[in-house]
Amino acid sequence: MNLDYIVREPENITPNTTILFLLHGYGSNEQDLFSFRETLPEDWIIVSFRAPRATQFEGYSWYDIDFNNPDNFVDVPQATESLNSALESILKIVNHYGITEGKTHLCGFSQGGILCYALALKYPEMFNLVACLSSYPEEKILTDIVKDKKKLERLRFFVSHGTDDAVIPFEWGKKAADLLYDLNCYFTFREYMSGHGVNQKNYMDLMDFFSK
């Protein structure tokens, strides 16, 4: 299934152009992270996806969440379907623009970040910079990740989490550091005095990560 998306194109697109894919959180939409484009490099293609499942208040989600049942917190079949849709859409868009030499980056918030972990660790040779904001690595969709250090060495992770996050606990977010360390991945883990969101310092650090 092809995902709906909005895009900002640079003036010139070549096989070396960098492309960044944005995946929003539960109950949000494609406009949310698209605001990041204002401070991202002008020569990048910025693609912001809309998750496939409608939620209340004109929002969208990648999969249903059961807040009352921690063991069933994630609807795994829906998450897997969204993961496959995101992968399919990324491949089609990269092919559409003829990007054969350029870098492909990911940035996801909350539920979108959970999918970014899975995309990057299942298909590491496709991606380069990966930012996972206020999210965590969900074991139930990380069943067949790549563990070959040589294949993972291209990846660079930026992981951020608010110490007062009431939606995805800080301790869940910290699991990423353990996982990425065990896989010998390059990563930066940053914590902020904030809730479930991106504060100004977090945003500046994120832009710094993408400017390297």
Side-chain angles (χ1 to χ4, degrees):
M1 174 176 61
N2 288 335
L3 297 174
D4 291 333
Y5 63 90
I6 49 179
V7 62
R8 184 203 75 182
E9 296 178 349
E11 280 189 32
N12 299 306
I13 298 174
T14 73
N16 288 298
T17 295
T18 294
I19 187 164
L20 169 65
F21 292 95
L22 304 170
L23 286 78
H24 65 75
Y26 182 92
S28 188
N29 61 45
E30 67 277 17
Q31 294 289 345
D32 187 17
L33 301 182
F34 198 55
S35 61
F36 289 4
R37 72 190 184 282
E38 303 294 341
T39 45
L40 286 164
E42 290 184 3
D43 57 350
W44 287 14
I45 300 170
I46 313 288
V47 176
S48 187
F49 285 128
R50 175 193 289 179
R53 311 185 69 80
T55 62
Q56 289 179 306
F57 313 115
E58 300 182 358
Y60 297 87
S61 74
W62 299 98
Y63 53 85
D64 293 339
I65 294 173
D66 188 346
F67 287 101
N68 299 317
N69 185 352
D71 293 331
N72 231 3
F73 188 64
V74 172
D75 187 310
V76 177
Q78 289 179 7
T80 303
E81 185 181 355
S82 284
L83 193 63
N84 291 335
S85 296
L87 176 67
E88 190 179 320
S89 297
I90 287 168
L91 288 168
K92 279 191 174 173
I93 293 167
V94 168
N95 187 51
H96 166 74
Y97 286 111
I99 298 169
T100 51
E101 306 298 327
K103 292 176 177 175
T104 301
H105 303 325
L106 293 170
C107 179
F109 177 79
S110 194
Q111 212 180 52
I114 292 168
L115 289 194
C116 285
Y117 280 121
L119 284 165
L121 294 175
K122 285 172 181 272
Y123 312 101
E125 288 158 308
M126 285 178 57
F127 303 107
N128 187 250
L129 301 181
V130 183
C132 300
L133 318 172
S134 303
S135 60
Y136 72 99
E138 173 52 65
E139 293 171 5
K140 291 178 180 175
I141 58 170
L142 292 175
T143 48
D144 52 352
I145 60 173
V146 172
K147 294 182 178 176
D148 182 340
K149 187 172 183 285
K150 192 77 180 157
K151 291 181 178 176
L152 293 166
E153 67 183 10
R154 281 179 43 152
L155 295 174
R156 299 287 184 278
F157 284 89
F158 176 87
V159 179
S160 67
H161 216 98
T163 52
D164 303 318
D165 194 326
V167 178
I168 294 178
F170 180 68
E171 292 306 313
W172 290 22
K174 279 179 72 175
K175 289 180 185 175
D178 296 332
L179 172 66
L180 297 174
Y181 181 81
D182 289 343
L183 291 171
N184 285 307
C185 287
Y186 294 95
F187 72 94
T188 300
F189 182 87
R190 297 279 176 87
E191 58 184 79
Y192 301 91
M193 296 286 288
S194 65
H196 193 64
V198 178
N199 67 14
Q200 187 64 25
K201 180 73 173 83
N202 191 169
Y203 185 77
M204 289 167 64
D205 290 342
L206 174 66
M207 290 302 126
D208 185 52
F209 169 71
F210 277 131
S211 70
K212 290 172 179 170

